Amino acid sequence: MRAFLDNLRLALGTFLGNPLRSLLTLLGIVIGVTTVITMMALIEGLRLKVNKDLSQLGANTFMATKWPTGFGRFNWQKYARRPALTSEDAHAIELSCPSVMSVAASDDEGGQKIVTSTQETRPSVRVYGATPEYLDTSGITVASGRFFGESEAVDGRHVAVVGLDVADALFPGQNPLGHEVRVKGRPFTIIGVLQRRGSFLGMMSMDNLVIVPLRSFQQLYGKARSLDLNIQAQGADLVNKAKDEVETLLRRRRDVAPLAENDFELHTNESMTQTFNQLSQVITIAGFGVCLLSLVVGGIGILNIMLVSVTERTKEIGIRKALGARKRRILGQFATEAVLLSLVGGAIGVGLGFGLAFLGRWMLGFPTLVPPWAVALSLGMSSGVGLIFGIYPAVRAARLDPVEAMRSD
């Protein structure tokens, strides 16, 4: 223990004796560790945000869609040839699947501008067309006013429920209920305002939307479009059974051969979480690749500075060995210096990573959370790099002949 403390004291003296050179040597390690901490903070924050946001999508629900979700290369022509999901499919599911409580059919169009006689939104509003069941299957809540009913949906009335971003942009400081807005040039009367939901993944606002009856939406944007079906099971323990019933029914209605793959997709909160996890794994691997490259560069710097240190202190080493210092004591001294150098670089990188994570959360509103394991892993990797690249200089110092070493200038 005493030998270790002596080595640590000598290592600190060497580091403090050449602070600028030491810090420049550690630049690669600092960059690598900062990269890992920052990226892990983003991924962990996003993971928690995804779980929270998905939990708001409606209890005991899953979706049937024409298009897949996920990351990677897809044969989009193949999916484009799939038949559309229709309102008739939604009605059939409600009638024929005993484990299903309700089904909402919906469609949407992004990049829309909503206007009044005096105000207009940016062309970033997403317009939804939906059936009345959408209120129960999508996790939304009406804060004031009401959602449209069955008769309004069947008749295709020009009524609308708006998110708070739209209400604030068009009617600042006013109650928007009863006012008229224009969607694609057509007048709609606001009958409800949704409760604020915030943003999805910290980036996309979930309050910048307008919901109109599906038939009204189809009058604006056309009927030859596939619908998304939000399906609510009778209970949490029946979600998987309801999913199997829906899959069997849709395969039969769409004449899918027994051994052929589905020509539709079923998405649950779990499957969407898995999709995010696939993305996070790719980002994590890329982050560790950058970190590894930076650590190797930093390790080469440590190797270089330690070799220089051995050369500069050859006479000192010779004197110590002549006075009885053993090889393992010299080896331990220089190995401790290398590990301390890299550990200092790792600590600086961790501090910078925490700082960048805080700035991302404070300035950009981006969800960030640094996991403890990322800190431990980063410090362990940086220490390991210092030990690996510091071994050769330490062994070289330990093997110096004391007589030859004392003769050096």
Side-chain angles (χ1 to χ4, degrees), residues 128-141:
Y128 288 83
T131 55
E133 295 82 5
Y134 191 77
L135 178 64
D136 299 318
T137 59
S138 62
I140 60 175
T141 303

Side-chain angles (χ1 to χ4, degrees), residues 133-165:
E133 295 82 5
Y134 191 77
L135 178 64
D136 299 318
T137 59
S138 62
I140 60 175
T141 303
V142 177
S144 60
R146 61 180 178 85
F147 206 74
F148 46 82
E150 189 65 33
S151 62
E152 293 167 313
V154 171
D155 295 340
R157 301 267 184 87
H158 282 196
V159 292
V161 179
V162 301
L164 276 174
D165 286 356

Side-chain angles (χ1 to χ4, degrees), residues 70-244:
F71 303 93
R73 300 180 63 181
F74 292 111
N75 184 357
W76 293 108
Q77 292 182 349
K78 165 189 170 182
Y79 297 112
R81 290 193 295 268
R82 288 177 166 183
L85 289 166
T86 64
S87 297
E88 289 73 21
D89 291 324
H91 295 317
I93 291 171
E94 275 193 314
L95 292 175
S96 304
C97 298
S99 299
V100 171
M101 179 182 295
S102 62
V103 182
S106 65
D107 196 2
D108 63 271
E109 187 72 26
Q112 302 300 296
K113 181 186 291 186
I114 311 301
V115 302
T116 66
S117 58
T118 59
Q119 302 285 345
E120 64 179 30
T121 67
R122 294 180 178 180
S124 59
V125 178
R126 184 163 292 274
V127 177
Y128 288 83
T131 55
E133 295 82 5
Y134 191 77
L135 178 64
D136 299 318
T137 59
S138 62
I140 60 175
T141 303
V142 177
S144 60
R146 61 180 178 85
F147 206 74
F148 46 82
E150 189 65 33
S151 62
E152 293 167 313
V154 171
D155 295 340
R157 301 267 184 87
H158 282 196
V159 292
V161 179
V162 301
L164 276 174
D165 286 356
V166 175
D168 292 341
L170 297 180
F171 306 99
Q174 304 178 51
N175 184 355
L177 295 179
H179 287 77
E180 184 179 279
V181 297
R182 288 189 171 269
V183 181
K184 207 176 179 181
R186 302 283 186 88
F188 283 79
T189 301
I190 297 177
I191 61 171
V193 179
L194 298 175
Q195 185 174 336
R196 187 174 296 282
R197 302 176 71 196
S199 59
F200 186 71
L201 303 182
M203 297 178 287
M204 183 179 68
S205 173
M206 295 192 291
D207 301 307
N208 196 27
L209 78 162
V210 172
I211 307 175
V212 302
L214 180 59
R215 179 164 293 185
S216 304
F217 178 92
Q218 291 174 332
Q219 292 172 0
L220 298 177
Y221 299 101
K223 296 181 179 180
R225 301 160 62 108
S226 184
L227 301 179
D228 296 332
L229 306 183
N230 285 15
I231 304 162
Q232 186 177 36
Q234 294 281 359
D237 56 333
L238 294 175
V239 171
N240 289 331
K241 186 176 181 182
K243 185 179 175 183
D244 292 339

Side-chain angles (χ1 to χ4, degrees), residues 314-315 317-322 399-407:
T314 300
K315 196 166 187 177
I317 295 169
I319 294 173
R320 293 189 63 195
K321 296 191 73 173
R399 289 180 176 176
L400 284 175
D401 182 84
V403 175
E404 295 296 330
M406 286 190 295
R407 287 178 180 174

Side-chain angles (χ1 to χ4, degrees), residues 260-273:
E261 67 176 9
N262 292 338
D263 60 356
F264 56 90
E265 304 290 332
L266 295 178
H267 311 292
T268 62
N269 288 356
E270 290 76 16
S271 66
M272 287 186 276
T273 300

